[in-house]
């Protein structure tokens, strides 16, 4: 049984305006539907293959179910993932932007995206690794009209250190504000915080938290 209501109540009490994304990584579609029946509409998945295997085609999903890819996207999987998701939160290079644009332009579809920022600088994480690289991607947006930048996403540093989390999240919030203020882009999503650090993320201005374990329980990596 999912623990959605307790998580939702805790977030609502701590940060009423923050949206919850339920991340069902390795958990079955039945658990997703259980959350849907309780009113959850925004879901995240890490892997293209799992989206393809778990979720039915978009036309067959319940009304209002919205699925975002939050894990690293390889360019050779772009064509496969586009029909499966409503948003890609892990765009991390100009090359990937161009690949998405080529595929989307053929269908005249505009796709919501987030730029992923590797604010912790950890080698095992994806995302733009420097502010300059991020701003070059922002400047490239006019060249990819089928991509609609909604905001930024980041993963907090390993170790669950509160001060390190706050430094990371605060920096990404500053980048978010700079893109809005200096580039005039109307961003509305700052996706920061997971089961272990979402409160620090909310303190730093997160508008959307990605919760998996606290809702669905421990993950089974036999999947």
């Amino acid at each position: 049984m999912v623990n959605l209501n307790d998580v939702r109540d805790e977030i609502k009490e701590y940060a009423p305006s923050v949206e919850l994304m339920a991340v069902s990584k390795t958990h079955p579609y039945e658990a997703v539907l259980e959350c849907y029946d309780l009113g959850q509409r925004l879901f995240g998945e890490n892997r293209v293959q799992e989206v393809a295997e778990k979720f039915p085609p978009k036309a067959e999903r319940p009304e209002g179910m919205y699925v975002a890819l939050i894990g690293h996207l390889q360019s050779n999987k772009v064509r496969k993932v586009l029909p499966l998701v409503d948003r890609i939160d892990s765009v991390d290079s100009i090359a990937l932007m161009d690949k998405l644009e080529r595929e989307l332009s053929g269908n005249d579809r505009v796709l919501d995206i987030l730029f992923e920022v590797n604010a912790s600088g950890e080698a095992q994480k994806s995302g733009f690794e420097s502010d300059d690289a991020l701003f070059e991607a922002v400047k490239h947006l006019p060249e990819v009209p089928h991509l609609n930048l909604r905001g930024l996403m980041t993963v907090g540093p390993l170790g669950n250190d509160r001060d390190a989390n706050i430094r990371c999240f605060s920096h990404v919030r500053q980048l978010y504000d700079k893109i809005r203020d200096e580039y005039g882009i109307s961003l509305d999503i700052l996706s920061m915080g997971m089961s272990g650090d979402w409160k620090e993320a909310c303190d730093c201005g997160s508008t959307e938290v990605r919760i998996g374990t606290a809702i669905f329980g421990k993950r089974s990596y036999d999947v």
Side-chain angles (χ1 to χ4, degrees):
M1 178 178 293
V2 299
N3 189 39
L4 178 65
N5 284 335
D6 288 345
V7 172
R8 193 158 48 191
D9 288 347
E10 188 176 7
I11 292 172
K12 185 176 181 179
E13 180 177 354
Y14 191 85
S17 64
V18 170
E19 185 166 9
L20 170 63
M21 173 187 285
V23 180
S24 59
K25 181 178 179 182
T26 79
H27 293 281
Y29 186 59
E30 289 73 19
V32 172
L33 289 178
E34 187 177 347
C35 285
Y36 179 89
D37 289 341
L38 292 171
Q40 181 67 23
R41 294 294 180 267
L42 177 60
F43 297 90
E45 283 294 339
N46 286 71
R47 296 190 301 150
V48 173
Q49 189 63 30
E50 188 166 357
V51 177
E53 292 175 353
K54 180 186 297 184
F55 288 88
K58 288 175 63 175
E60 299 175 15
R61 294 176 195 168
E63 182 178 359
M65 181 180 284
Y66 190 95
V67 180
L69 179 73
I70 62 174
H72 179 64
L73 175 58
Q74 297 173 319
S75 60
N76 63 352
K77 295 184 179 179
V78 164
R79 184 171 295 179
K80 181 176 183 177
V81 77
L82 284 177
L84 304 175
V85 297
D86 301 284
R87 193 175 87 200
I88 295 177
D89 293 3
S90 50
V91 176
D92 60 1
S93 71
I94 289 176
L96 180 57
M97 293 168 68
D98 288 339
K99 176 67 173 178
L100 288 165
E101 173 66 21
R102 287 193 293 271
E103 294 294 332
L104 291 163
S105 61
N107 297 315
D108 198 26
R109 175 190 174 192
V110 176
L111 177 73
D112 288 345
I113 64 166
L114 305 185
F115 283 156
E116 182 176 7
V117 179
N118 183 357
S120 66
E122 292 163 319
Q124 65 270 50
K125 292 181 179 175
S126 303
F128 290 101
E129 295 183 353
S130 71
D131 296 357
D132 288 343
L134 174 66
F135 293 130
E136 285 301 312
V138 173
K139 294 174 185 176
H140 190 66
L141 286 169
E143 307 301 319
V144 287
H146 293 83
L147 299 181
N148 179 38
L149 181 65
R150 297 280 305 276
L152 303 180
M153 184 265 276
T154 197
V155 177
L158 297 172
N160 204 27
D161 180 273
R162 185 177 186 277
D163 291 339
N165 289 340
I166 290 175
R167 284 194 299 272
C168 171
F169 296 143
S170 295
H171 181 64
V172 178
R173 171 60 189 270
Q174 291 170 2
L175 296 174
Y176 177 86
D177 289 342
K178 183 173 181 177
I179 293 171
R180 290 202 303 178
D181 296 342
E182 297 188 16
Y183 291 90
I185 300 175
S186 299
L187 307 182
D188 64 337
I189 300 173
L190 184 54
S191 177
M192 306 190 300
M194 300 189 295
S195 290
D197 57 16
W198 66 267
K199 289 185 178 180
E200 293 99 304
C202 291
D203 291 343
C204 296
S206 178
T207 69
E208 185 177 287
V209 294
R210 309 179 305 275
I211 307 297
T213 302
I215 295 174
F216 295 99
K218 292 183 179 180
R219 294 164 176 162
S220 170
Y221 288 96
D222 294 333
V223 175

